[in-house]
Amino acid sequence: MTLTEHARYSWGGDEFLVVEIAPDMSLEANFVANSIAVGLEDRALPGIIDICPANASLLVRFNPDELAHDELERTVRELETEVKKAAVQELDTRIIEVPVWYNDPYTSETEQRFREGYHQRPEGSDLDYSAEVNGLANAEEFIRRHHETPWLVSMVGFVAGLPFLFQLTPRERQLEVPKYLSPRTDTPPLTVGIGGCFTAHYSVRGAGGYQMLGIAPAPIFDPGQTLADFSDFMVLFRTGDIVKYRPVDEAEYRKIQAEVEQGTYRYKQAPVRFSLAEALADPDSYNRSLLEALNG
Amino acid sequence: MADLLRALEVLNPGLATTVQDQGRFGYYRFGIPQGGVMDQYAAALGNRLVGNTAAEAVLECTYLGPQLRASADTVIAVTGAPVEVRVNGTAVAQNARFSLAAGDELSFGVIQGGTKFFIAVAGGIDVPEVLGSRSTYPIGKLGGFEGRAVQAGDVLPVGEPQASTLPQLDSVPAELLPSYDRELVVRIMVGLYDHKLTDEGLRNLTEAEWTLTPVADRMGLRFDGPGAAWRQEEQPFGAGQDPSNITDAGYPVGSIQIPGGTQPIVLHCDAVSGGGYAQAATVISADMDLFARMAPGPKCALCR
C-alpha cells in the first residue's frame, strides 16, 4: 500500500462525515473507501442515512439525534484499520460490457456549440484534443486506448446513476485530459466523456465539463424500470462494478436502441471476484482474466 | 367527477411550482438528491394549519404563484414568503387556515420577500411515492407530478384528510413566523478541505459580508464578495489542475465550494451529490431553511 497510515476525518456540518483516504486517486484508495462502505453497511448502525463511497474518499450522512458523531468516527476508524490490514483484499462484483458509438454526430454537434469561451482548443474536436494532450497519433488511437482495458466504477453520483470510472492500467498508461475551461450547459444523455483520469457516463441530459468521446445506445438510469437489467433498481451501476467498453458503429447503435425500445435489451455481464493484489501485481494478465470471465 | 373527488386543477402554473415533501433519503449514494421543500419549517407550519402531519406533500411556489381551481370543498393554508393570497380575487389571510368551495379559484400577488411560499391542503398532494418520497426531482424526471414542475391543465390529486389528535390551530402566532429580514446570518462549520484555502481566503469566507446573486435555485446559491483564494500547491493525481479542484468526492448538503476562489456556492437540496470542487465549510442543518427566505441582494454573513 502506498497510502498514508490514517485517513483524514472531517465533518460537513452536523450531519455528514467525510473520510479522505488519500488526496490523490489510486486503486488502493478506492478499494479502501469501498471496503469501509461495505463494512459500515454490514454494521447497520442506527442513525445512518446514507453511505456514499467516492473515488478516494467516503461520505456518510447520519442523524446526530440517533448516532453520536464520536461513535460514528470510532466505528469508521475501526473499519479503516480492519480493511487496511486484511490479508486478502477482494470485492465480489461483476463485469459489464457497455457498447459505445465513439466519434458520433450527436456529441460532435454539441461540442461545436461549445468551443469559443468553453474549450482550450476551440478549432478542433474533443477527441483530437484528447489524443494530442496524451501524445497519441490521432483520435482513433485515443479511442482504442479508451476501450482496450476495463474500467472500475470508482464512484456513483453527481446526478442520478452517473458513474465515474477509473482505468485498470498502471498510472503511466492512464489517459488523462483537462476538463472544459468552463462547463457546457448541455450534454446529450448517455454521452461518454473523460475528465482528469476519469471516464463519466452522463445518465441524463444536462451540464458537463468532460471531453466528449461518444454516446451509448442503452440507458444506465431507468426510472420507469422498463428493462430487465433495472428490475431490482432504477440505477445500473454500483461502485466496484467493472466496465468493458465495446465500440459499435451506427448500424449496431440503432439496432441496440431498437431493442431498448422494445424492452428486450440486456447488458452482457458476468460475476467476478476482484482481487486488488492481482490487479496491482500484473495488470495486463489480470485484465485478460477479467475479459475471459466476461466472454466466457 | 366521482373519480376525482379531491383535486386541484392548475389554471396557470406560476414560475416554478413543484410537489415537495420532507425529502427523499437513502439514495444519495446513487446521485439522487434529497430534494424536499427548501424551507422545511414554513412548509410544516402549513401542514399543521390544515391538520396534516409534517410529512404530507405541499406545493412549493417560486416568486410567482400558480392559479388553481378546487374540484371539491377543500381546506388550505399558505405559508412561507409573504405574498397576497386571493380566493376568487378577494384577499384572504396568509399563515391561516381557510376553505375553498368546489369551483373556487386560488391565486397570488407578488411576493414581498424571500423566494418560496407553500400551499398546504388537507390530505396533502397525493401523487405516488417514488423511492419513499413525493418530492419532484426534475433532472431525473422522477417523483412529484410526472417528475416535473406543474403545467396548466394538470389535475393534482389530493389525499384523504386525516383525523389529527393535535389541537386545531387556525393561524400561526406572529412570534412563530419566519423572518424575511434583508440581513441574515447563516451559521457554518469550517472543515472538509478548508486547509486548501489561504489564510486570507478563510478569513474572507467567515468574516466578510457576502451578497446573494441572482444565480440561486434549489441546486445551489452563488454569493458575491471579496473572494476566497486557494493555496497554490502541486495538485494531487486525478484532482484536476485548478487549486480549487479535488479528486471527485461526495458533497454534503449545505457544503460551500468556491470554484476558482471567486464566488462561494452553497449547495442546497437538489444539488449534485458529488464532484471535483473543494468545499471549505458546511451550513449547519438548522440554518438550511434560511436560503429560501433570502432574496438576491441582502448582505449575508457566513458565521463560524
Side-chain angles (χ1 to χ4, degrees):
Chain A
M1 287 264 184
T2 56
L3 299 174
T4 52
E5 191 182 351
H6 297 295
R8 191 175 64 80
Y9 287 67
S10 188
W11 301 93
D14 50 328
E15 295 186 340
F16 293 88
L17 169 64
V18 168
V19 183
E20 187 188 63
I21 311 301
D24 59 328
M25 183 57 192
S26 67
L27 202 49
E28 294 96 321
N30 185 253
F31 197 91
V32 171
N34 269 310
S35 301
I36 295 175
V38 170
L40 194 56
E41 184 102 46
D42 289 346
R43 299 263 179 124
L45 292 185
I48 297 267
I49 294 170
D50 237 317
I51 302 165
C52 310
N55 289 316
S57 60
L58 179 76
L59 174 74
V60 182
R61 185 174 199 169
F62 66 105
N63 179 347
D65 291 336
E66 291 179 49
L67 178 60
H69 75 281
D70 54 347
E71 189 190 343
L72 173 61
E73 179 174 344
R74 192 170 58 243
T75 307
V76 178
R77 283 190 186 277
E78 279 169 24
L79 286 164
E80 185 197 345
T81 307
E82 268 175 37
V83 164
K84 285 181 172 172
K85 74 178 181 204
V88 182
Q89 296 183 311
E90 293 181 332
L91 273 183
D92 280 317
T93 182
R94 59 183 176 161
I95 182 164
I96 309 174
E97 184 178 270
V98 176
V100 183
W101 181 12
Y102 287 100
N103 206 4
D104 67 291
Y106 303 108
T107 58
S108 298
E109 186 274 328
T110 307
E111 67 190 35
Q112 290 315 312
R113 279 191 280 133
F114 295 96
R115 296 321 282 180
E116 208 68 57
Y118 290 87
H119 202 276
Q120 294 85 349
R121 193 66 48 83
E123 61 277 9
S125 74
D126 286 9
L127 266 166
D128 291 339
Y129 174 71
S130 299
E132 187 188 311
V133 296
N134 280 276
L136 303 176
N138 49 36
E140 288 66 38
E141 174 80 358
F142 188 90
I143 290 168
R144 184 178 64 73
R145 289 276 299 274
H146 188 259
H147 65 71
E148 72 180 358
T149 67
W151 295 69
L152 179 82
V153 176
S154 50
M155 172 174 170
V156 175
F158 188 65
V159 292
L162 181 149
F164 292 80
L165 302 107
F166 182 64
Q167 194 165 21
L168 290 175
T169 196
R171 189 174 284 192
E172 62 275 12
R173 272 188 268 157
Q174 276 181 351
L175 301 169
E176 207 185 353
V177 302
K179 297 161 195 167
Y180 272 41
L181 293 174
S182 177
R184 297 176 302 275
T185 53
D186 191 23
T187 309
L190 298 172
T191 291
V192 174
I194 184 166
C197 65
F198 299 105
T199 284
H201 199 128
Y202 290 87
S203 50
V204 295
R205 184 174 182 175
Y210 279 25
Q211 310 287 337
M212 293 181 285
L213 308 181
I215 196 159
I220 60 169
F221 172 61
D222 179 7
Q225 296 179 275
T226 51
L227 295 175
D229 288 320
F230 298 87
S231 58
D232 289 342
F233 194 53
M234 58 180 74
V235 168
L236 180 67
F237 292 117
R238 306 280 182 277
T239 50
D241 278 343
I242 295 165
V243 168
K244 173 66 172 66
Y245 290 108
R246 183 171 64 85
V248 296
D249 58 13
E250 178 173 3
E252 190 170 3
Y253 173 86
R254 306 267 176 233
K255 179 172 160 286
I256 296 171
Q257 273 195 326
E259 289 173 31
V260 169
E261 204 64 32
Q262 288 155 14
T264 56
Y265 182 75
R266 294 298 305 261
Y267 279 100
K268 181 175 173 181
Q269 54 181 288
V272 288
R273 175 165 290 183
F274 182 74
S275 158
L276 180 64
E278 287 179 47
L280 291 174
D282 187 351
D284 294 332
S285 71
Y286 191 66
N287 286 341
R288 276 195 298 277
S289 74
L290 288 173
L291 298 183
E292 279 163 21
L294 177 68
N295 296 315
Chain B
M1 303 234 325
D3 55 337
L4 271 180
L5 277 180
R6 279 175 301 276
L8 295 173
E9 186 190 343
V10 180
L11 304 177
N12 181 325
L15 187 64
T17 305
T18 55
V19 178
Q20 301 290 346
D21 60 12
Q22 290 175 302
R24 180 177 284 115
F25 295 89
Y27 301 94
Y28 206 54
R29 74 188 78 177
F30 302 110
I32 297 174
Q34 70 173 60
V37 287
M38 220 172 147
D39 185 342
Q40 296 278 340
Y41 176 72
L45 288 178
N47 270 327
R48 179 69 179 81
L49 286 170
V50 299
N52 292 341
T53 71
E56 255 62 62
V58 302
L59 290 175
E60 179 180 278
C61 312
T62 309
Y63 291 113
L64 290 173
Q67 195 181 348
L68 306 170
R69 182 161 56 210
S71 74
D73 295 359
T74 310
V75 174
I76 299 267
V78 177
T79 54
V83 63
E84 186 175 287
V85 184
R86 301 179 194 131
V87 176
N88 300 326
T90 304
V92 299
Q94 194 183 8
N95 298 302
R97 184 178 54 249
F98 60 93
S99 296
L100 293 182
D104 279 354
E105 287 183 18
L106 179 65
S107 61
F108 299 92
V110 177
I111 61 168
Q112 305 300 317
T115 58
K116 305 281 184 192
F117 63 92
F118 304 92
I119 306 170
V121 50
I125 304 292
D126 193 24
V127 294
E129 282 194 0
V130 179
L131 302 178
S133 167
R134 295 184 168 90
S135 292
T136 313
Y137 175 40
I139 291 178
K141 300 184 174 69
L142 187 101
F145 189 88
E146 298 180 0
R148 56 166 171 77
V150 303
Q151 296 172 358
D154 289 347
V155 177
L156 308 173
V158 172
E160 180 90 26
Q162 302 138 353
S164 172
T165 55
L166 293 170
Q168 206 176 57
L169 186 70
D170 298 323
S171 63
V172 182
E175 66 271 23
L176 296 183
L177 289 175
S179 160
Y180 293 86
D181 286 348
R182 298 287 290 170
E183 292 187 14
L184 290 168
V185 175
V186 174
R187 291 165 292 176
I188 64 175
M189 225 175 98
V190 169
L192 303 175
Y193 300 88
D194 60 304
H195 56 279
K196 287 170 68 78
L197 279 178
T198 62
D199 294 342
E200 190 194 0
L202 189 58
R203 265 200 311 279
N204 285 354
L205 179 68
T206 56
E207 292 171 20
E209 278 194 334
W210 297 91
T211 306
L212 181 61
T213 72
V215 185
D217 57 20
R218 290 175 50 82
M219 296 187 75
L221 302 96
R222 200 180 272 258
F223 288 83
D224 227 349
W230 299 94
R231 292 178 194 278
Q232 298 289 329
E233 287 170 348
E234 197 189 330
Q235 282 289 93
F237 174 78
Q241 291 88 338
D242 194 89
S244 62
N245 290 166
I246 54 169
T247 299
D248 296 62
Y251 287 159
V253 177
S255 62
I256 303 174
Q257 50 183 236
I258 318 166
T262 55
Q263 293 183 318
I265 299 170
V266 176
L267 300 182
H268 217 283
C269 52
D270 273 358
V272 295
S273 71
Y277 290 113
Q279 312 116 69
T282 307
V283 176
I284 66 168
S285 59
D287 282 2
M288 288 299 287
D289 288 357
L290 296 179
F291 295 97
R293 301 178 198 158
M294 281 176 205
K299 299 273 180 271
C300 169
L302 302 168
C303 157
R304 6 181 7 165

